[in-house]
Amino acid sequence: MQIFLLIILLSFIVLNEFKSTKHVHKGLIDDFKLEDYPYVMCLKILLPNKRVETCTGSLVAELFVLTAAHCVYGKDKKDLKVYQGTRIKSHDSRNVVKMYVHESYNHTSEVMIGDLSILKIEKPFSHIEEYIRVGGSPIDFANNKYLKCIVIGFGIINAEHERFIKQIMVKHGRKACEGYDSVQIIDTWQQYLCEIPNNHKTYEGDSGGPMICNNLQYGVCSFSININGGDMQTVYVFIDYYRKWVNDIIEPEQSTSISAKQKRLKKNKINQKNDAKLIIPHYTLYIISGILWYTM
């Protein structure tokens, strides 16, 4: 009977010794839930005149944020801060340690090509375990097919209005964008995804924001076209066109990061085992002593 009681008590102590609870603060990006889109990032950009600009980005890997090149071109990485969600409500930010801008981007050209940038942050957001995967292909738009997608951005940052999330219809093809015969689009339409024109205005802070279709990020918010009648058409960089460039940056460093993470986990497991060996006998002595005293 004493041996049976001893086994039960030991099991109870061991289970409680190593049980942990992970608490994550569930904030809101205004009226949609942050936990639904944990990978949406807000970029705070400090200008030389001490003004602050805002752009949007997406966490596509543990340490990598995808955004628009025109948001960060010519900026110093020390003047960039990356926040999860809006920078007004969130104080959890990361510094940028590396900045990649696509080599074809030209800020003086009237033709917007290569409008992509990848930012490497100093360390992971500890509570984020979900990243948005890049996907999409021109095949998805075959036979003039439209896709229903959502877009997210932090266009106006103030107390009343600090974000938008909107469902849109998206198309791709030679005549998908308004002004398809213009110099800005006629030779580069393969690189774009265009939403069906509407009266929604895209603000500067929405730049770099993700277009999400079929639970994958298809596009990055780039520029808008004004249309007669007051409507606008926002144009997104089609990531598929630049997928090799994105993968060539992320995959090598991601492999190194995973390897280092695996080593840390292995080391932690070894330490936990060693700690367990030291802790369990310590409690065992107290339990055995208590049982012996009780039965005397």
Side-chain angles (χ1 to χ4, degrees):
M1 180 67 182
Q2 292 177 359
I3 294 174
F4 177 72
L5 180 61
L6 178 62
I7 292 172
I8 292 175
L9 287 171
L10 283 172
S11 300
F12 175 79
I13 289 173
V14 170
L15 287 172
N16 281 275
E17 180 70 30
F18 297 103
K19 184 174 70 175
S20 63
T21 301
K22 185 176 181 182
H23 176 74
V24 177
H25 175 65
K26 302 293 187 183
L28 294 177
I29 306 177
D30 225 23
D31 61 355
F32 64 87
K33 295 180 180 179
L34 177 60
E35 59 263 34
D36 291 341
Y37 307 95
Y39 42 78
V40 178
M41 301 286 121
C42 182
L43 277 58
K44 178 183 175 182
I45 305 159
L46 183 64
L47 303 179
N49 58 7
K50 304 303 180 183
R51 285 182 56 246
V52 172
E53 286 185 348
T54 299
C55 275
T56 307
S58 53
L59 200 63
V60 293
E62 186 179 51
L63 296 174
F64 293 95
V65 176
L66 183 62
T67 188
H70 74 261
C71 287
V72 299
Y73 179 83
K75 310 295 193 302
D76 193 313
K77 61 179 182 290
K78 67 179 176 58
D79 294 327
L80 306 178
K81 285 276 188 182
V82 176
Y83 293 79
Q84 185 199 15
T86 169
R87 61 181 172 84
I88 288 181
K89 291 186 177 180
S90 172
H91 300 288
D92 192 9
S93 68
R94 297 291 184 270
N95 294 321
V96 174
V97 295
K98 281 187 182 180
M99 183 168 64
Y100 304 88
V101 174
H102 195 273
E103 58 271 15
S104 66
Y105 176 71
N106 182 352
H107 74 288
T108 64
S109 173
E110 61 179 327
V111 181
M112 185 73 81
I113 60 173
D115 191 18
L116 284 182
S117 176
I118 295 174
L119 308 177
K120 183 180 180 183
I121 55 177
E122 58 182 331
K123 61 181 179 179
F125 287 92
S126 58
H127 56 284
I128 299 181
E129 298 178 352
E130 179 186 353
Y131 317 109
I132 183 67
R133 289 193 299 124
V134 170
S137 165
I139 298 173
D140 301 334
F141 299 92
N143 301 316
N144 296 316
K145 182 180 178 182
Y146 291 55
L147 290 185
K148 185 182 292 185
C149 307
I150 63 166
V151 289
I152 303 173
F154 298 103
I156 301 178
I157 301 294
N158 58 42
E160 289 77 33
H161 185 114
E162 55 185 285
R163 63 80 193 98
F164 81 85
I165 178 171
K166 183 176 182 180
Q167 189 173 84
I168 61 172
M169 298 301 292
V170 179
K171 52 186 178 178
H172 172 72
R174 195 182 74 81
K175 295 185 178 182
C177 298
E178 296 293 326
Y180 55 82
D181 285 331
S182 66
V183 66
Q184 291 89 352
I185 295 176
I186 191 168
D187 295 322
T188 53
W189 62 267
Q190 300 93 336
Q191 305 179 32
Y192 306 135
L193 295 172
C194 287
E195 70 177 28
I196 295 178
N198 55 61
N199 59 7
H200 167 74
K201 184 176 181 181
T202 301
Y203 294 89
E204 287 185 6
D206 299 326
S207 292
M211 171 194 284
I212 302 169
C213 318
N214 301 321
N215 296 316
L216 299 170
Q217 184 172 351
Y218 276 50
V220 169
C221 185
S222 183
F223 64 97
S224 293
I225 300 171
N226 291 313
I227 303 170
N228 293 334
D231 283 350
M232 297 188 69
Q233 184 175 56
T234 304
V235 181
Y236 293 75
V237 179
F238 195 178
I239 302 172
D240 180 71
Y241 192 87
Y242 297 99
R243 192 178 302 208
K244 183 180 186 303
W245 179 78
V246 173
N247 291 341
D248 285 349
I249 292 172
I250 294 176
E251 288 180 353
E253 296 214 34
Q254 190 73 353
S255 298
T256 303
S257 174
I258 291 172
S259 177
K261 188 175 182 180
Q262 288 173 339
K263 287 180 180 178
R264 289 196 302 270
L265 291 172
K266 186 176 181 180
K267 185 177 180 180
N268 289 340
K269 285 182 180 179
I270 293 172
N271 290 338
Q272 286 177 359
K273 287 181 180 179
N274 291 336
D275 290 343
K277 290 176 182 177
L278 293 173
I279 292 171
I280 292 175
H282 172 73
Y283 283 101
T284 304
L285 290 174
Y286 283 100
I287 294 169
I288 293 174
S289 298
I291 292 173
L292 290 175
W293 179 83
Y294 178 77
T295 55
M296 286 178 62

